[in-house]
Amino acid sequence: MQNEFVSVPLNAALDEMSVWMPILAEHLKFHRGGIDPSIKQDCIFQNLDYSARQIDYLTNIIFSSDAVLSEIKRSPVKTVLPQVLAVSDIKKYMYLGIKSCEILSIIPSELADHMRRETDRFLGIIGGPKPTREALGIPGGDKMVLGIPRTMLAALPDKEKFTAVVEEIMFFSHINEEHSHHIAMTTKPEIQERFTKKAKEFEKLFKENLQKAKAVENRGKGLERLVDDTLKLMKEFKSFGLLIFKGAESCSLPEEQTNAWPLMDDHILREGNYFVELLQMAMNK
């Protein structure tokens, strides 16, 4: 990661924080609900719980309609950055602990790293350290991502916008590939087989979309078509995700629910909405 901190316009940072701070808190809650509830891991549970409540507390203050201006509301980024850096460290700790089996959890290590990558992307966008492409799981090795708030993408010079939008498409194609894999793994075997099959189809399509984005970057052209194709894929994926979420929430799926929390299905939908809006903002669609 690049260590410098940069100033980001307040409105742009607030737009990102309104989406990602609740998502970051939910990541911590997913970890909290996923670890083995043995006495040996109680301190990990307590740390995750405290960190989630801290992020929720900050979010409530920043976006409260209360007219009283606290120091946090005057300079939200200044307050949020250290907290998000701490969350990033916790997520690295959880990923490494789960991967090495030092932490026992039903959260797979791949999903733990998925949460860490989303956190590091958010950090870079609101003025924190910029991650490398490799750190975000996309092609490009140690090249730093541009990491531009979505409300600022449309005003970028064409060359910068091309790179920034391609990076976002690569990142979220990989993220949604993993979301699809998660859905496939948490639908119930045999009983919910049609959902498992559909999720695996989306997993394959998002993997292919990332490769399309890489090819567009290499050619230096074709962004409009790539964006249109990605929006079409996202529309289909969101419809599928909404079906899973509503079905699980109302217990109307075969065998009532999947093996995932309904909040996680809603979480995936909200990330999908963010990405679609990002593309629409960037391309003035």
Side-chain angles (χ1 to χ4, degrees):
M1 275 194 185
Q2 170 186 318
N3 292 322
E4 299 85 30
F5 289 77
V6 297
S7 178
V8 172
L10 180 58
N11 286 342
L14 286 172
D15 172 69
E16 298 292 339
M17 287 191 284
S18 70
V19 176
W20 289 100
M21 287 182 68
I23 284 174
L24 263 57
E26 288 166 6
H27 286 164
L28 295 164
K29 294 169 187 176
F30 295 149
H31 270 307
R32 181 188 65 188
I35 64 169
D36 182 59
S38 67
I39 191 66
K40 291 188 293 184
Q41 298 199 143
D42 189 60
C43 62
I44 301 172
F45 178 96
Q46 298 294 342
N47 189 21
L48 291 165
D49 182 66
Y50 175 78
S51 299
R53 286 188 286 111
Q54 282 289 98
I55 296 296
D56 281 339
Y57 172 73
L58 282 178
T59 305
N60 289 336
I61 290 178
I62 292 167
F63 296 103
S64 166
S65 58
D66 192 335
V68 177
L69 278 178
S70 66
E71 183 60 34
I72 292 174
K73 290 188 79 166
R74 289 190 192 94
S75 306
V77 178
K78 182 180 176 182
T79 305
V80 166
L81 275 174
Q83 294 290 334
V84 179
L85 279 165
V87 169
S88 176
D89 287 341
I90 290 169
K91 289 178 181 176
K92 289 186 186 78
Y93 171 79
M94 293 302 296
Y95 163 65
L96 293 171
I98 292 168
K99 190 172 179 62
S100 65
C101 207
E102 292 176 14
I103 295 174
L104 302 180
S105 175
I106 61 172
I107 300 290
S109 61
E110 294 86 354
L111 184 56
D113 190 51
H114 170 110
M115 298 177 193
R116 189 273 309 163
R117 279 181 270 122
E118 289 186 343
T119 304
D120 288 351
R121 174 191 171 275
F122 172 60
L123 259 176
I125 280 180
I126 63 168
K130 297 284 187 187
T132 64
R133 287 186 170 197
E134 182 179 24
L136 292 189
I138 62 175
D142 59 2
K143 180 180 179 181
M144 297 290 177
V145 296
L146 290 182
I148 308 294
R150 63 179 182 169
T151 58
M152 298 173 64
L153 289 169
L156 290 175
D158 288 347
K159 187 175 180 181
E160 277 187 61
K161 182 163 82 170
F162 177 90
T163 299
V165 173
V166 167
E167 284 180 343
E168 295 290 7
I169 291 173
M170 287 195 289
F171 179 79
F172 281 104
S173 292
H174 186 34
I175 287 294
N176 285 309
E177 177 190 345
E178 292 172 329
H179 284 161
S180 302
H181 180 77
H182 163 78
I183 294 171
M185 293 299 101
T186 54
T187 48
K188 294 177 180 178
E190 297 182 8
I191 300 167
Q192 297 171 345
E193 185 62 32
R194 69 186 179 97
F195 299 120
T196 306
K197 183 179 178 182
K198 189 65 177 175
K200 287 180 177 179
E201 289 174 11
F202 277 116
E203 184 179 359
K204 180 175 180 287
L205 289 170
F206 279 116
K207 186 173 185 176
E208 290 171 354
N209 205 59
L210 190 155
Q211 294 306 314
K212 288 180 188 176
K214 183 180 177 183
V216 164
E217 182 174 50
N218 290 340
R219 291 197 307 269
K221 61 182 181 181
L223 182 60
E224 284 278 356
R225 174 68 181 274
L226 175 64
V227 169
D228 288 344
D229 289 349
T230 303
L231 285 171
K232 181 181 177 183
L233 176 57
M234 284 303 301
K235 182 179 179 181
E236 294 169 358
F237 181 61
K238 284 172 56 188
S239 294
F240 173 66
L242 187 62
L243 176 67
I244 295 289
F245 169 59
K246 290 295 186 183
E249 190 181 44
S250 63
C251 294
S252 58
L253 296 173
E255 283 291 302
E256 292 89 33
Q257 301 180 33
T258 67
N259 290 325
W261 300 289
L263 178 61
M264 191 172 276
D265 297 324
D266 182 53
H267 178 102
I268 290 170
L269 280 171
R270 279 180 278 125
E271 289 188 14
N273 289 336
Y274 168 88
F275 177 44
V276 167
E277 289 166 4
L278 180 153
L279 293 177
Q280 291 169 336
M281 289 177 184
M283 309 304 285
N284 293 313
K285 287 186 177 289

